[in-house]
């Protein structure tokens, strides 16, 4: 395979060229090589609470670096292929499309990847960029502008897309393994879901064990405390959405939103800002609209 890739590169790039060079990168970014080479990557670190508890470290690039990263995202990474099972941060995909394959299944297995972005290494990024045809010099520059301390910084505009692109092989392995057991696989960032049509104890155990092994072999660590196996008689959730018979928000979330809307109508007061409430209502509408496309629930 490496020999085939080298031959294809020579055919398409021309004799003597190692790959797409710094000049090609500069052209795509509408800059000169000197302009982006003199940029010193700077990040501001802060913490935010995780939905599941604990704190998450965010590395926010400064304005200059963020602008370059956005250019890289739209002019270098846009259009590159991710695995069809990936739904996070991809145009036309959402938490709803991520949940659809798992509606009305006998078993839903959820696994969480610990420290997903910090565990996605600069080496993975560089290897991927070399495979798709960038020269060594261009790869070094792209990695310098998109990685920090040897990994993807959580907070950079380029990190979500790069994490999807470089993990094509992991997604393909997990999807293939799930399919071999008659199951379905999706991933939304660090949330991995595999669902099975039959509740056979040995099969569920094997699939869970093999998924964790594949994830580890790809350089990540499974957060064992968050691994869940949910059956029909339990509430089955995928990226925060209930999927037992159809896709919808959890009952307590819907009740909470109805209570807020009632207080707004009766007293004009709300525990949410107008912007926050609009966001929740938009999410509810999206779940309802896209959830209708899930099709007839499968037995």
């Amino acid at each position: 395979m490496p020999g085939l890739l080298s031959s294809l590169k020579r055919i398409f790039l021309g004799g003597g060229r190692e790959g797409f060079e710094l000049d090609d990168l500069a052209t795509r970014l509408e800059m000169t090589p000197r302009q982006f080479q003199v940029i010193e990557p700077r990040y501001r670190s802060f913490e935010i609470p995780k939905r599941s508890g604990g704190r998450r470290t965010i590395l926010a690039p400064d304005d200059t670096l963020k602008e370059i990263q956005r250019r890289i995202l739209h002019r270098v990474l846009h259009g590159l292929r991710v695995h069809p099972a990936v739904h996070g941060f991809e145009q036309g995909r959402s938490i709803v499309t991520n949940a659809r394959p798992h509606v009305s299944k006998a078993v839903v297995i959820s696994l969480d990847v610990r420290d997903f972005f910090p565990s996605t290494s600069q080496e993975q990024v560089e290897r991927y960029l070399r495979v798709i045809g960038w020269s060594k010099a261009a790869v070094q520059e792209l990695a310098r502008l998109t990685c920090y301390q040897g990994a993807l910084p959580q907070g950079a505009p380029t990190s979500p897309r790069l994490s999807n692109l470089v993990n094509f092989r992991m997604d393909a392995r997990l999807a293939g393994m799930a399919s071999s057991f008659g199951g379905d696989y999706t991933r939304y960032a660090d949330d991995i879901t595999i669902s099975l049509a039959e509740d056979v104890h040995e099969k569920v155990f094997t699939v869970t064990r093999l998924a964790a092994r594949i994830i580890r072999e790809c350089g990540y660590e499974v957060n064992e405390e968050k691994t869940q196996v949910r059956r029909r008689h339990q509430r089955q959730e995928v990226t925060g959405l209930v999927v037992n018979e159809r896709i919808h928000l959890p009952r307590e979330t819907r009740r909470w939103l109805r209570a807020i809307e009632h207080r707004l109508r009766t007293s004009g007061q709300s525990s949410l800002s107008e912007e926050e409430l609009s966001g929740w209502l938009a999410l509810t509408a999206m779940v309802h609209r896209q959830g209708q496309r899930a099709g007839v629930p499968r037995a």
Side-chain angles (χ1 to χ4, degrees), residues 127-200:
R127 185 165 57 244
Y128 171 79
L129 292 170
R130 288 288 282 153
V131 166
I132 65 171
W134 289 98
S135 70
K136 183 176 180 181
V139 165
Q140 290 176 340
E141 196 58 34
L142 281 166
R144 186 181 75 86
L145 294 170
T146 59
C147 297
Y148 181 69
Q149 295 182 343
L152 290 181
Q154 183 155 358
T158 44
S159 291
R161 185 112 232 276
L162 279 170
S163 71
N164 287 344
L165 291 166
V166 305
N167 280 305
F168 193 103
R169 181 171 175 270
M170 180 181 76
D171 294 319
R173 291 183 64 188
L174 287 166
M177 183 273 293
S179 179
S180 70
F181 286 90
D184 287 289
Y185 161 78
T186 64
R187 179 171 65 82
Y188 194 102
D190 55 358
D191 290 328
I192 287 173
T193 307
I194 297 173
S195 57
L196 302 172
E198 297 179 330
D199 185 1
V200 179

Side-chain angles (χ1 to χ4, degrees), residues 27 44 80 177 205 219 233 243 277 279 287 293 295:
T27 299
R44 177 173 61 90
L80 297 174
M177 183 273 293
F205 175 79
H233 67 280
V243 296
L277 179 58
V287 170
R293 305 174 197 164

Side-chain angles (χ1 to χ4, degrees), residues 35-49:
Q35 281 178 308
F36 59 73
Q37 284 179 306
V38 298
I39 292 173
E40 186 66 33
R42 292 188 176 89
Y43 293 86
R44 177 173 61 90
S45 175
F46 60 93
E47 292 186 341
I48 60 172

Side-chain angles (χ1 to χ4, degrees), residues 95-97 99-100 102-104 234-255 257-258 280 283-294 297:
I95 59 173
V96 181
T97 63
R100 276 185 207 157
H102 310 295
V103 172
S104 194
Q234 301 170 301
R235 186 166 79 177
Q236 297 170 325
E237 286 191 29
V238 178
T239 44
L241 300 176
V242 180
V243 296
N244 287 70
E245 297 178 355
R246 59 185 177 87
I247 298 174
H248 58 82
L249 289 168
R251 181 178 301 172
E252 60 269 22
T253 302
R254 288 180 279 138
R255 286 177 174 172
L257 284 171
R258 284 198 296 268
W280 274 104
L283 172 64
T284 303
M286 181 193 74
V287 170
H288 177 74
R289 182 179 66 255
Q290 295 186 5
Q292 303 308 306
R293 305 174 197 164

Side-chain angles (χ1 to χ4, degrees), residues 15 25 29 36 50 70 76 87 90 99 112 118 129 149 160 169 189 220 227 231 239 257 269 274-275 278 280 290:
L25 178 60
L29 300 181
F36 59 73
K50 291 183 180 180
R70 283 175 175 161
V76 177
H87 294 263
E90 293 298 321
D112 176 81
L129 292 170
Q149 295 182 343
R169 181 171 175 270
Y220 296 99
T227 298
R231 293 174 164 84
T239 44
L257 284 171
Q269 297 180 342
E274 185 175 334
E275 184 179 34
S278 295
W280 274 104
Q290 295 186 5

Side-chain angles (χ1 to χ4, degrees), residues 220-236:
Y220 296 99
E221 181 182 352
V222 175
N223 190 340
E224 301 286 355
E225 296 176 356
K226 293 185 179 181
T227 298
Q228 293 185 344
V229 178
R230 297 284 182 174
R231 293 174 164 84
R232 290 189 193 277
H233 67 280
Q234 301 170 301
R235 186 166 79 177
Q236 297 170 325

